[in-house]
Amino acid sequence: LNIEGSRAKRVGVIDEANEDESPFLSISLEAPLVLENCLPCTLRYKILDPNNITITAGSIKRGDSRDIYQINTNANSKYAPIISIQVQGFSWSENINLSTSKTLTFKIRDAATR
């Protein structure tokens, strides 16, 4: 069994009915994208498809991270999802294509546009 981005292993479990060891397969899925907030404030994010339809959105408290499972990070740039972030007192960042690189750099502007 091979699931891209995941790990699978064969393990055993005790069947309580007859106390035999019955094998089963355990599959662990890993998120293709993890957003980590290293800022001293809450971070808001939205991930959109190329047609600007929201795939997922939410907020991450300072020091927390969020696993994102709803996207395909292997899509070519034409079909890849885009991400935008926002923190209090600032406008939403520009949209960044998630297929461009592993490390993303965002430019955000003061909400008062100073």
Side-chain angles (χ1 to χ4, degrees):
L1 177 64
N2 182 13
I3 298 176
E4 188 176 34
S6 303
R7 294 186 300 248
K9 61 182 179 179
R10 191 173 180 89
V11 297
V13 64
I14 302 290
D15 181 354
E16 293 179 15
N18 53 15
E19 296 187 10
D20 292 335
E21 189 169 308
S22 303
F24 69 92
L25 189 64
S26 174
I27 299 174
S28 300
L29 300 177
E30 296 178 3
L33 176 66
V34 178
L35 300 177
E36 182 177 10
N37 183 4
C38 297
L39 299 171
C41 58
T42 298
L43 169 77
R44 293 176 57 203
Y45 68 91
K46 57 184 175 182
I47 299 176
L48 311 165
D49 73 8
N51 298 315
N52 276 343
I53 297 172
T54 301
I55 297 171
T56 186
S59 62
I60 307 170
K61 293 181 181 178
R62 65 181 180 157
D64 285 349
S65 63
R66 180 76 31 93
D67 294 342
I68 307 293
Y69 291 92
Q70 300 96 323
I71 65 167
N72 178 5
T73 56
N74 292 325
N76 67 34
S77 60
K78 182 178 178 181
Y79 301 106
I82 52 179
I83 185 170
S84 182
I85 64 166
Q86 191 261 336
V87 293
Q88 185 176 359
F90 291 85
S91 299
W92 282 94
S93 71
E94 62 188 18
N95 290 339
I96 295 182
N97 186 312
L98 283 172
S99 70
T100 57
S101 71
K102 300 246 182 226
T103 302
L104 303 176
T105 302
F106 294 91
K107 293 180 183 177
I108 57 175
R109 297 190 191 282
D110 188 315
T113 61
R114 291 179 250 173

